[in-house]
Amino acid sequence: MKNAPNFVLDDAEISFANYDEMRAFVEEREKNTEWLEQGVRELVFGALHEEPLCAPVYADKMHVSTEAIEDTMAGAGLKLTVSSGTRPVGASAVASIINRAGLQAAGWKKLRNGNLESLKSVLNMLMDVSSGAVHIKVADEKIRAVHSGKYTAIRTDRLLDIVKGYFDREWPTATFEEGYFSHERMQEVIDLAQYKDDFFGRIPTGIFQSATPAFVVYSSDVATSAVTLVPSMKLGGVCVPMTKAVKIEHMGEDLEARVSDALAMILAYFQGAVADMQALENVEVKYGTNALKRLLKDGGMPKKCAWEAIEAFDGMYGGNPVTAMEIYVAAVDAYSAVLREFPQDKKKILLAADCVSRVANARWADVDKPGEVKY
């Protein structure tokens, strides 16, 4: 594919406006992916200090590119010896390694920044007292994930095929809107505007009068869920998540069949999400600005965009009680600001969208409180 980024690098990402290009790209990625299974005690970690002059030597020994070594030196700072040889550790693998080792993220960060040799030693000691098997993802010259032996994955090209097959059969005028791929996530957005009556009801009320339905599918080999299905809506040209995301876990038999079964329930998922969204109209929030601040802060909304939405919200409602729906709309405003301010930063946009989803699913009693909220 022309002008595709170098996916040896940890922060590589790519967006798509054409389905066939995305399908071809992820198929190529799968050809460059290998899953290994071996005993956890066989894993041996090593340190990759920031020594750029040594990068070509290390690259030759590991049979990888110099770019892979230099990128890892500035990233995870580790190499890992597995059954197929020694490879640099990609940043996407860090969370799964922390989980397998039983460490805390803060402890990892201290050792990574303060004493890389100690981090290597701690990891090896923890692997040595562990038991069972691990599944290891090797892709684009690096270790990309280290999981339990019970872990199952779904090929990204197969997931796209399953989703396309379902929509071609059941909702044939649905259209591919956009796609995204990185080492952490693959995502597809499907426009369902032609089926508004089916998914939002024949007499849509409130926010749904001006919205149209959309459906987001994303998969990850590093997140808790293998596949997540998100009933969504396009509001003012912005695709935002509703409630009732459906998460299909990595653990368990026949992952592809579970995805197919979940897709068959899409109409019921939308009906539930619409009902939940409409219910937000009936939830009174006494301290609306405080609730909004807490939700945007905890959800990781970029601060500048969050404050733009908070100030507009506070100017409109002041200290008066509001509905949960009004807070949700303010979160959508913050997300819209992210799209405007960071149009090329897809990872920031995806995190902001996840924040909107958290707002839609908030436990309002936890955030509707008086007092100063520092943000």
Side-chain angles (χ1 to χ4, degrees):
M1 182 179 179
K2 293 182 179 179
N3 301 319
N6 181 4
F7 264 81
V8 166
L9 305 180
D10 288 341
D11 63 355
E13 58 180 359
I14 187 170
S15 298
F16 301 90
N18 178 278
Y19 175 84
D20 291 334
E21 288 186 0
M22 181 176 184
R23 175 63 177 75
F25 179 84
V26 299
E27 182 178 11
E28 183 63 26
R29 296 270 62 71
E30 291 294 349
K31 290 178 181 177
N32 287 279
T33 299
E34 179 183 18
W35 283 93
L36 307 174
E37 183 174 3
Q38 64 182 76
V40 65
R41 293 182 181 178
E42 299 170 22
L43 301 181
V44 179
F45 287 92
L48 272 179
H49 296 279
E50 289 197 55
E51 301 168 332
L53 294 178
C54 298
V57 177
Y58 296 149
D60 186 58
K61 287 183 178 180
M62 295 186 216
H63 306 290
V64 299
S65 64
T66 301
E67 290 88 347
I69 298 296
E70 291 175 340
D71 191 51
T72 304
M73 286 177 172
L78 294 170
K79 58 185 178 180
L80 177 61
T81 300
V82 296
S83 58
S84 64
T86 301
R87 295 286 183 274
V89 173
S92 66
V94 169
S96 58
I97 293 171
I98 288 174
N99 184 56
R100 292 304 305 157
L103 293 172
Q104 296 291 327
W108 171 287
K109 186 175 180 180
K110 286 180 181 179
L111 289 172
R112 167 64 186 90
N113 295 334
N115 193 323
L116 200 53
E117 289 293 330
S118 292
L119 174 60
K120 171 203 74 175
S121 299
V122 167
L123 289 172
N124 286 329
M125 287 188 290
L126 289 170
M127 296 301 114
D128 194 49
V129 296
S130 299
S131 60
V134 287
H135 273 134
I136 303 157
K137 181 181 180 180
V138 184
D140 296 295
E141 303 185 19
K142 293 190 184 187
I143 304 294
R144 301 295 178 179
V146 180
H147 291 295
S148 160
K150 297 178 181 179
Y151 181 98
T152 57
I154 186 170
R155 286 176 60 108
T156 51
D157 51 358
R158 278 293 299 142
L159 176 60
L160 288 179
D161 290 345
I162 291 168
V163 173
K164 187 175 189 303
Y166 169 76
F167 280 98
D168 284 351
R169 290 191 310 271
E170 304 296 333
W171 312 98
T173 59
T175 58
F176 173 85
E177 181 163 315
E178 63 175 340
Y180 171 81
F181 187 92
S182 71
H183 288 299
E184 293 80 18
R185 179 169 177 159
M186 181 193 77
Q187 178 167 300
E188 177 183 15
V189 180
I190 299 166
D191 190 342
L192 298 173
Q194 296 292 326
Y195 299 106
K196 180 171 180 174
D197 287 352
D198 298 278
F199 290 102
F200 284 173
R202 295 193 177 278
I203 309 177
T205 59
I207 198 172
F208 297 103
Q209 289 178 309
S210 58
T212 58
F215 193 60
V216 177
V217 180
Y218 66 84
S219 65
S220 175
D221 289 326
V222 295
T224 304
S225 301
V227 179
T228 302
L229 311 177
V230 189
S232 304
M233 60 181 169
K234 291 187 70 176
L235 191 64
V238 177
C239 183
V240 292
M242 298 159 61
T243 60
K244 298 286 188 186
V246 179
K247 298 180 182 296
I248 303 167
E249 304 302 319
H250 286 284
M251 305 300 180
E253 299 296 324
D254 204 342
L255 184 51
E256 289 187 10
R258 286 187 282 137
V259 172
S260 295
D261 290 344
L263 285 169
M265 297 292 291
I266 181 176
L267 195 57
Y269 297 146
F270 263 94
Q271 290 170 346
V274 168
D276 285 348
M277 294 294 294
Q278 290 173 330
L280 295 181
E281 296 276 10
N282 300 318
V283 177
E284 182 182 85
V285 181
K286 292 183 178 179
Y287 305 98
T289 301
N290 277 4
L292 180 61
K293 285 181 182 178
R294 290 188 174 99
L295 289 166
L296 297 185
K297 179 182 179 181
D298 294 345
M301 188 69 73
K303 192 170 184 179
K304 176 183 177 182
C305 302
W307 269 108
E308 180 178 319
I310 290 167
E311 289 174 353
F313 180 88
D314 194 50
M316 182 177 295
Y317 300 107
N320 297 318
V322 297
T323 67
M325 176 60 82
E326 287 163 336
I327 294 176
Y328 172 82
V329 171
V332 172
D333 289 342
Y335 175 58
S336 298
V338 173
L339 293 173
R340 184 191 69 236
E341 295 292 331
F342 308 100
Q344 304 303 319
D345 194 335
K346 194 65 177 179
K347 290 183 180 179
K348 194 182 292 288
I349 290 170
L350 291 173
L351 289 172
D354 290 342
C355 178
V356 175
S357 180
R358 291 180 58 161
V359 173
N361 292 281
R363 292 180 49 161
W364 297 102
D366 293 343
V367 295
D368 186 15
K369 298 176 181 178
E372 182 183 1
V373 179
K374 294 183 179 179
Y375 188 7

